[in-house]
Amino acid sequence: MTLRARLDHLGKTAADIRSIHLSTHEACLRIIDKKGPLANPADRDHCVQYMIAIPLIFGRLTAADYEDAVAADSRIDALRAKVTCVEDPNFTADYHDPDKRSIANTLRVELADGTILQETVEYPIGHRRRREEGLPLLVEKFKANLRRRFPQPQEQRILEASLDPQRLDNMPVNKYVDLYVP
């Protein structure tokens, strides 16, 4: 997302990208480094190249972006084909270090005009070390998904219970689950 903002600042788009180089940890390569066709949302959700291409093209990465309607865009596979993934042994060591549990990646984007954009993120949003920063985004995501599924009065009841830690702790599980019943 940071690199997409830098592309925008330069007046460039994903179409201006010549190549993408991802330095990552071994687990990423083993689990989500996927080439070739992606058959369904689960395949796409487990493909790092897809998770790189979507933000660079659209400036976002949401659950809907894994669905067939978005995945049909030919720009995604074209950009995925430009991604090379390699292991950085230091990232792997930090990934396994119990004191760090880093999920570091360096993304290097080379544009057709030779411009290089690079970003290293050691702890992505959502990591326990970035909980304070990630929690407001998670709450907004929760609210957005409630709006998609429930009428406003029910959404409000769920939010009131969910966002009040003391009330939630004191609520029997079955009563909380009942809030989600249509």
Side-chain angles (χ1 to χ4, degrees), residues 11-52:
K12 304 288 185 179
T13 70
D16 295 304
I17 295 173
R18 177 184 298 151
S19 65
I20 301 170
H21 181 89
L22 176 68
S23 297
T24 188
H25 49 89
E26 179 276 334
C28 177
L29 297 176
R30 181 171 31 86
I31 300 168
I32 59 175
D33 177 13
K34 287 189 181 171
K35 310 271 191 285
L38 302 171
N40 54 50
D43 264 0
R44 296 176 201 119
D45 184 45
H46 287 81
C47 175
V48 71
Q49 293 88 346
Y50 193 89
M51 291 183 272
I52 291 169

Side-chain angles (χ1 to χ4, degrees), residues 71-95:
D73 189 320
S74 62
R75 296 176 299 169
I76 298 166
D77 286 338
L79 200 52
R80 282 181 57 221
K82 296 178 182 183
V83 179
T84 303
C85 301
V86 298
E87 179 184 4
D88 181 319
N90 294 320
F91 291 172
T92 298
D94 290 348
Y95 178 83

Side-chain angles (χ1 to χ4, degrees), residues 17 31 48 70 75 116 122 131 139:
I17 295 173
I31 300 168
V48 71
V70 174
R75 296 176 299 169
I116 302 292
E122 187 171 5
R131 183 153 294 149
V139 169

Side-chain angles (χ1 to χ4, degrees), residues 146-158:
L146 287 176
R147 277 191 297 277
R148 287 186 189 107
R149 178 71 177 92
F150 299 105
Q152 200 281 328
Q154 186 175 5
E155 170 196 343
Q156 192 58 42
R157 288 191 301 274
I158 294 168

Side-chain angles (χ1 to χ4, degrees), residues 154-166:
Q154 186 175 5
E155 170 196 343
Q156 192 58 42
R157 288 191 301 274
I158 294 168
L159 282 173
E160 287 170 3
S162 300
L163 299 179
D164 180 342
Q166 186 174 4

Side-chain angles (χ1 to χ4, degrees), residues 51-62:
M51 291 183 272
I52 291 169
I54 293 293
L56 288 172
I57 295 168
F58 300 110
R60 63 171 196 265
L61 183 60
T62 68

